[in-house]
Amino acid sequence: MSPGYLVAEVIQLFVLLMIVYCVLETLICFGARISSYNPVVRTLRTICNPILDPIRSLIPPSLLGGFDISPLLVVLLLQYVASLLR
């Protein structure tokens, strides 16, 4: 097993975390009974927001009518990098 394969698997894990983060944030936005102070939500925000914030500064959600495409861009970029490492 090459080191690149291991890095690609870690990237895939991060992509999965990003998807879970997006689902939870959407549920919170639509009023689901999930607290913003839930430890899982706070941990996911701590992990994901440092990656998403630079993209949000380049393409703010206010430019797209409040739609945040930064998670989509991060997932696509990470998938591309992972495919190069395999």
Side-chain angles (χ1 to χ4, degrees):
M1 186 174 353
S2 69
Y5 182 78
L6 182 61
V7 172
E9 291 300 314
V10 170
I11 289 173
Q12 291 300 326
L13 178 64
F14 187 77
V15 167
L16 180 64
L17 288 175
M18 186 69 63
I19 292 169
V20 171
Y21 167 80
C22 290
V23 169
L24 284 174
E25 288 294 325
T26 302
L27 289 173
I28 290 170
C29 182
F30 283 112
R33 292 184 157 202
I34 302 171
S35 172
S36 297
Y37 298 106
N38 183 312
V40 174
V41 174
R42 291 176 62 181
T43 302
L44 284 172
R45 284 180 177 168
T46 301
I47 293 170
C48 296
N49 278 340
I51 305 298
L52 296 173
D53 286 342
I55 295 173
R56 285 179 181 147
S57 67
L58 293 173
I59 307 170
S62 60
L63 272 179
L64 302 170
F67 186 71
D68 187 12
I69 64 166
S70 59
L72 175 65
L73 295 176
V74 167
V75 166
L76 290 174
L77 179 66
L78 289 175
Q79 291 289 342
Y80 177 71
V81 171
S83 70
L84 291 177
L85 293 172
R86 291 189 179 164

